[in-house]
């Protein structure tokens, strides 16, 4: 028996297995987009047949960060902005785990922006969901990196003087090999995209539009979205970086003008994930490292094996 | 001056190969049967700038650098810039000669590269030589090296000259060279070495002075290692297979050593975007079931405060190394200080706890790093190993057999799937990862991927099942349980009977030190006792949980004590007083914070002032801070 027998058993999984049997009831506000992410994520996991115990969900801090209180798997609710470094190391330590990281736009594009850039560039094999509600939710409505210019809040009473971050373009230029945007108001597309993102072998960045009825009443997130893959108006090749980039710019401009475009923007196949690249270079073992500690027959090199160089 | 020790200083410009040359020569001396100890002085520059390494070699055990030195090999700074008068770095070319004269002992030897240096550029050189009875050998080392190969081999020429002057057998050096290189390069180097050796023997009177290589014999084979090697090997033997970091001097030493080893032992090394990420990665890897370590120096460790607290709250085992250099801020990147003690003890929000070890030599670095991993994985708590730039980069010989110790891949209080099945689950079948009740504070853990063990780790306060909770009863229970760990750890550590007191048991005056200054303090104790005083020393290498009983026993046994530390504000003395709640009126401090570690004579001088109750000022580079109320 493997030391991690929850991993890789091919059984039918019901999405309700991801619901904690007991409390806590979500503390999210009524109508919050975060419910949509939770639902889509559970559905996607079930569709992929993931055992809850082979999944590690790492979150940051914020309303979004509470996701794993309501999603029953192995979980790590980390600190503000730091879900990615925790998550990617867990994946390096045990490459058989299904690792998903999630957090808000403040968490992911603000305080954790540096980690986002680097995790994307390294192309870690994991999925990153950013709850984009264009506002800081948990700390009560301050302006966030995705808030539009002019957005008024208690900390920017005269209106935000900064232009918003362009998350899709940032994901792409940083090096993510899968970039998509979906929205809580469309659970079916959201589920499909999450399935794809988890199946994708590399860093999948999903900018997930979530409405925050409490602090961001005029967010475009309520507006009916357009699925760019379904619409005849948008024809581009998702594997072409330049075309994807252009489409992203159009989407990012349109959002602040009131048109919500969603779908897959960039899918790069054939590029080695970080783990594969490290293995290819001989700087990471083939077997999941964590298994070794439970393997009685494993050989453990000692410093004495290396002491000759000091004689 | 004694002749039973050679203290050889090689000086040049940063980038001139001073480091590698000195390491090889130290090894050669070790192989000849001597005990060696190295001391490294370098500027925060890549190429150019005065740098030196000192090797102290003796038949006796050497635990410290000495007072001054007796042999200078001055190569000149070949990367020197700005030779203009009044330039910022000034007269760099001659610094490897001029800067070193103050500490050269009477009767000492100077070999300088006349191919690069001109003694006319040095003020009063001839007068000083005469006054101090120095023996000067002007050798065109550069020219000699060029003749056989390349200019860069002037190091080798210098070593050949040294061997001729002190009567050292070339075989030891030749063997090492053959190990390190081959082909034409080796041949050229050997030619340079022998030519320099013979030139000196033929053209100079090598018996005119009385500096010579001592003789010694080792009972068993020795290895030459630094404190950083001790830490790296301790981690390796304890099953550490994940290291994450961001370069910062002097932490980079451990980081590089382990990075080089990791592919060989099936481990992973990650150089990441910053220190927050570095420590967070170690937390993530540990959470997923791998023994992981990270570390940094002061400024980088400041960033690790967040993940450190996270590890404590989520009870994720973690080992962090803090390699101190002088601060505040980026301070002096290449100079040692012991002033991050409070930073390491207290950083991170809330009533957070961590274990802090402070080794004092390479062997203790190894042992305490192993212990750090054992405690971290058994008690699920962050453990820090704090040391400094001095211990990080100084080499000394250790019996090779010392490292022949069994590996320990045990994950401590981590359960197997079978054990998880037996463990407590709540009424909904959820694994109770953070149970309140364990006596020693430790609730066993599971690892993602294990059947039946899933839980939520969170930096928020949480229930036994891992749910976020602000319930007052739960809060008190969880805080108490985490606090109980520290008491259990102290009890565990007290079981090891360590010998930390040095010197005459009945002595009335005490010296107290920690970390890298310990060897120097012990050398000072020997000298003080030889001078007729009655002194003993205590070295404290566990900073938290603090060995209160042991420290009290020691302080109760002396009438007063001098606390020796490299800090401006007597942080270590403050720590002792805080932890024991007393002794303020009997503890005075000897402080040094000029960027250089103590020399034994400075400690001897200060102790004599204290013991004799004199009002003298100590040497200008140290400061005596009286006891409270004095
Ligand atoms: C280091 C740190 N700084 C600030 C906070 C306070 N804080 C908690 S959540 C949050 C912002 C959350 O906004 P976002 O990431 O957009 O998530 P949302 O709540 O909107 O889902 C902040 C600033 C914190 N917990 N830690
Ligand atoms: S504040 Fe906004 S983001 Fe947070 S739970 Fe309420 S609606 Fe959702």
């Amino acid at each position: 028996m493997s030391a991690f027998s929850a991993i890789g058993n091919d059984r039918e999984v019901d999405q309700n297995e991801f619901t904690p049997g007991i409390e806590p009831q979500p503390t999210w506000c009524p109508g919050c987009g975060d419910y949509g992410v939770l639902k889509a994520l559970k559905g996607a996991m079930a569709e992929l047949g993931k055992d809850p115990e082979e999944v590690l969900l790492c979150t940051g801090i914020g309303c979004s960060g509470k996701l794993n209180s309501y999603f029953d798997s192995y979980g790590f609710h980390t600190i503000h902005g730091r879900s990615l470094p925790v998550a990617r190391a867990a994946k390096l330590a045990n490459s058989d785990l299904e690792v998903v990281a999630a957090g808000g736009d403040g968490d992911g594009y603000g305080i954790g922006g540096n980690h986002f850039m680097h995790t994307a560039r390294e192309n870690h094999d994991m999925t990153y969901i950013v709850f984009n509600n264009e506002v800081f939710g948990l700390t009560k409505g301050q302006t966030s990196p995705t808030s539009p210019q002019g957005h008024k809040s208690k900390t920017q009473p005269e209106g935000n003087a900064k232009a918003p971050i362009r998350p899709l373009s940032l994901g792409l230029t940083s090096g993510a090999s899968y970039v998509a945007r979906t929205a809580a108001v469309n659970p079916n597309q959201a589920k499909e995209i999450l399935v794809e993102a988890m199946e994708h072998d590399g860093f999948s960045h999903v900018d997930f539009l979530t409405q925050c009825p409490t602090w961001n009443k005029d967010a475009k997130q309520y507006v009916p979205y357009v699925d760019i893959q379904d619409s005849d108006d948008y024809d581009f090749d998702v594997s072409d970086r330049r075309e994807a980039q252009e489409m992203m710019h159009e989407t990012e401009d349109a959002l602040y003008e009131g048109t919500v475009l969603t779908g897959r923007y960039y899918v790069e196949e054939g590029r080695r994930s970080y783990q594969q690249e490290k293995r290819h270079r001989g700087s990471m073992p083939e077997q999941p490292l964590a298994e070794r500690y439970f393997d009685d027959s494993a050989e453990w090199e000692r410093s004495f094996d290396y002491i000759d160089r000091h004689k | 001056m004694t002749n039973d020790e050679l203290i050889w200083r090689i000086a040049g410009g940063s980038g001139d190969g001073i480091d590698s040359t000195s390491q090889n020569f130290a090894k050669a001396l070790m192989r000849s049967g001597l005990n060696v100890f190295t001391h490294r002085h370098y500027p925060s520059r890549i190429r150019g700038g005065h740098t030196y390494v000192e090797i102290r070699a003796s038949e006796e055990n050497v635990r410290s650098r000495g007072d001054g030195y007796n042999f200078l090999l001055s190569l000149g700074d070949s990367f020197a810039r700005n030779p203009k008068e009044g330039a910022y770095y000034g007269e760099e070319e001659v610094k490897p000669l001029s800067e070193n004269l103050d500490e050269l002992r009477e009767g000492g030897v100077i070999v300088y590269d006349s191919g690069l240096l001109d003694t006319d550029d040095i003020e009063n050189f001839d007068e000083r030589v005469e006054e101090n009875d120095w023996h000067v050998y002007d050798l065109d080392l550069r020219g000699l090296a060029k003749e056989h190969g390349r200019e860069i081999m002037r190091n080798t020429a210098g070593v050949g000259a040294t061997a001729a002057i002190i009567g050292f057998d070339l075989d030891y050096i030749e063997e090492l060279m053959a190990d390190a290189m081959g082909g034409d390069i080796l041949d050229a180097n050997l030619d340079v070495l022998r030519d320099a050796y013979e030139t000196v023997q033929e053209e100079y009177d090598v018996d005119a002075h009385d500096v010579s290589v001592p003789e010694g014999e080792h009972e068993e084979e020795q290895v030459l290692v630094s404190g950083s090697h001790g830490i790296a090997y301790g981690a390796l033997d304890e099953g550490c297979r994940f290291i994450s970091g961001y370069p910062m001097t002097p932490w980079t030493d451990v980081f590089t050593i382990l990075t080089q080893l990791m592919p060989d032992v099936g481990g992973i090394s990650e150089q990441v975007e910053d220190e927050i990420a570095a420590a967070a990665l170690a937390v993530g890897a540990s959470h997923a079931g791998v023994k992981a370590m990270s570390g940094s120096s002061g400024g980088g460790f400041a960033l690790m405060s967040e993940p450190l607290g996270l590890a404590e709250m989520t009870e994720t085992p973690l080992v962090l190394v803090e390699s101190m250099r002088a601060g505040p801020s980026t301070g002096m990147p290449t100079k040692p200080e012991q002033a991050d003690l409070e930073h390491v003890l207290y950083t991170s929000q809330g009533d957070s706890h961590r274990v802090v070890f402070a080794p004092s030599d390479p062997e203790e670095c190894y042992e305490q790093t192993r212990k750090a991993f054992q405690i971290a994985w058994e008690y699920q708590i962050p453990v820090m190993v704090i040391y400094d730039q001095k211990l990080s980069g100084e080499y000394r010989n250790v019996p090779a057999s010392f490292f022949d110790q069994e590996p320990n891949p045990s994950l401590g209080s981590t359960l197997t799937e079978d054990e998880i099945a037996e463990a407590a689950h709540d009424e909904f079948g959820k694994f109770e990862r953070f149970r309140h009740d364990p006596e020693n504070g430790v609730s066993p853990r599971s690892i993602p991927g294990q059947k039946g063990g899933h839980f939520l780790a969170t930096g928020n306060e949480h229930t036994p099942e891992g749910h976020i909770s602000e319930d007052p009863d739960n809060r008190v229970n969880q805080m108490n349980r985490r606090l109980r760990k520290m008491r259990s750890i102290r009890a565990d550590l007290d079981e090891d009977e360590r010998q930390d007191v040095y010197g005459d048991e009945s002595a009335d005056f005490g010296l107290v030190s920690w970390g890298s200054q310990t060897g120097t303090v012990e050398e000072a104790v020997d000298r003080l006792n030889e001078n007729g005083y009655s002194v003993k020393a205590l070295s404290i290498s566990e900073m938290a949980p603090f060995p209160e009983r042991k420290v009290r026993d020691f302080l109760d046994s002396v009438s007063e004590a001098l606390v020796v530390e490299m800090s401006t504000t007597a942080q270590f003395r403050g720590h002792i007083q805080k932890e024991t709640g007393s002794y303020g009126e009997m503890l005075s401090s000897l402080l040094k914070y000029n960027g250089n570690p103590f020399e034994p004579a400075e400690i001897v001088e200060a102790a004599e002032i204290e013991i004799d109750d004199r009002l003298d000022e100590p040497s200008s580079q140290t400061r005596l801070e009286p006891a409270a109320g004095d």
Side-chain angles (χ1 to χ4, degrees), chain B residues 520-568:
Chain B
T520 319
V521 166
E522 289 177 0
E523 178 143 347
V525 168
D526 289 345
R527 291 199 210 167
L528 283 160
N529 287 334
E530 274 163 32
N531 295 355
Y533 294 92
S534 167
V535 179
K536 63 184 174 185
L538 173 71
S539 164
I540 305 178
S541 56
E542 291 158 0
M543 294 291 137
F546 196 70
E548 195 194 329
R549 188 177 46 80
K550 187 187 292 176
V551 175
R552 279 184 175 283
D553 285 350
F554 180 84
L555 294 178
D556 288 342
S557 75
V558 292
S559 61
E560 51 178 318
L562 181 64
V563 183
V564 180
E565 59 181 302
M566 285 190 284
S567 110
T568 323

Side-chain angles (χ1 to χ4, degrees), chain A residues 3 5-6 51 53 72 74-75 77 82 88-89 114-115 274 278 289 292-293 300 302-303 309-311, chain B residues 27 31 224 233 237 239 265 269-270 273 281 306 404 417 430 447 449-455 457-458:
Chain A
S5 65
D51 187 310
E53 296 198 319
D72 210 31
Y74 275 99
H77 180 229
R82 317 294 169 213
R88 74 196 206 214
N114 195 28
H115 306 311
Y274 188 60
K278 277 195 84 117
L289 194 45
R292 233 173 145 203
Y293 292 87
W300 290 87
R302 307 172 306 154
S303 68
R309 61 184 85 173
H310 304 285
K311 282 180 180 164
Chain B
K27 246 188 204 177
R31 285 186 180 184
L224 190 66
Y233 284 154
D237 285 357
V265 301
S269 167
E270 282 288 294
E273 59 269 29
L281 258 90
E306 274 190 21
D404 190 7
E417 286 195 344
K430 192 129 191 206
I447 287 173
Q450 284 182 317
K451 193 98 214 144
H454 76 279
F455 70 98
T458 167

Side-chain angles (χ1 to χ4, degrees), chain A residues 37 47 49 60 85 97 133 170 187 191 237 246 260 269 275 288:
Chain A
V37 186
E47 190 160 320
L97 291 173
N133 58 8
L170 186 65
K191 186 179 91 175
D237 178 358
E246 238 167 72
V260 183
E269 304 285 0
Q275 288 87 337

